[in-house]
Amino acid sequence: MKKQILKSALCVVAMMMSMTAQAQVSFHIEDFIFDEGSYEKEVAICMTNEPSNITGVQMDIYMTEGLSIKCDEDGFYCIDFGSRPSSKRHTLECALQSDGAVRVTSASAKLLPFSGNEGDVLVMTVVADKNFKSGVIELKNCVATGADTDGSNIVQYKPADYSATVMDYATDIEETLADVDANAEYYNLQGVKVAKENLTQGVYIKKVAGKSVKVLIK
């Protein structure tokens, strides 16, 4: 009986540790809009991590029809290190998956951590075709690995999936607002969140209930 109680308690602790691990690391891309007259944009993939010993990350990048990751003349994806890793400390590999996703892996063979606890770990060049209006970029199957330099304490984290809204600059404005919607979040055309009390006349991206539209604040 005591063994069964101990086993049950250990299971609960393991589940709690697993949930905590998921909550300690997250990836995100800011919603963005292409610049006027441009169908290409450099986009940062950011990581927020509570543990400071994250040494490796992996994710599958999915894009809706009309969006893709740019390739150079040799056919390599235009994905590079962000500000937190370093080519002297980390490796970077990209590969197309059978379901159309692009898998990206960055890690340190010497178990050296990414710098800091917030900011861009990867930067990619996203391109859109000329018929593109709006869509999403999704990060799925995300994994981060934390490790001590001697390899004695290795922990795997599985951050939640994340999706970002992408819009074409020329997309028609869907709403004209005289009053600000209290339940919505607003972003400028560079994808930077703007507090409701700081909104001025102009065009913004309004995000509410999982939907993003371009709006004109009067």
Side-chain angles (χ1 to χ4, degrees), residues 70-76 78:
K70 183 179 179 180
C71 291
D72 63 20
E73 58 186 13
D74 296 317
F76 293 103
C78 294

Side-chain angles (χ1 to χ4, degrees), residues 78-118:
C78 294
I79 301 177
D80 206 345
F81 296 108
S83 62
R84 298 183 60 187
S86 165
S87 59
K88 295 181 179 180
R89 296 160 57 94
H90 297 83
T91 60
L92 178 60
E93 299 288 340
C94 308
L96 181 65
Q97 304 301 293
S98 59
D99 61 356
V102 176
R103 177 164 295 172
V104 186
T105 301
S106 181
S108 169
K110 294 183 178 180
L111 301 180
L112 299 175
F114 296 106
S115 62
N117 297 85
E118 176 75 35

Side-chain angles (χ1 to χ4, degrees), residues 33-41 167-171 189-190 214:
I33 189 167
F34 284 98
D35 299 327
E36 186 174 12
S38 174
Y39 290 92
E40 182 175 311
K41 196 173 186 70
M167 300 180 72
D168 171 33
Y169 184 90
T171 302
L189 297 184
Q190 288 70 49
K214 196 184 299 182

Side-chain angles (χ1 to χ4, degrees), residues 135-189:
V136 296
I137 298 175
E138 295 180 288
L139 305 178
K140 293 185 176 182
N141 305 319
C142 302
V143 179
T145 302
D148 296 332
T149 53
D150 61 0
S152 60
N153 182 29
I154 298 178
V155 180
Q156 186 178 88
Y157 302 88
K158 293 187 177 180
D161 295 346
Y162 189 88
S163 64
T165 300
V166 185
M167 300 180 72
D168 171 33
Y169 184 90
T171 302
D172 293 336
I173 294 174
E174 297 192 21
E175 298 182 26
T176 300
L177 301 180
D179 298 313
V180 174
D181 186 341
N183 296 319
E185 294 180 341
Y186 293 85
Y187 299 81
N188 62 24
L189 297 184

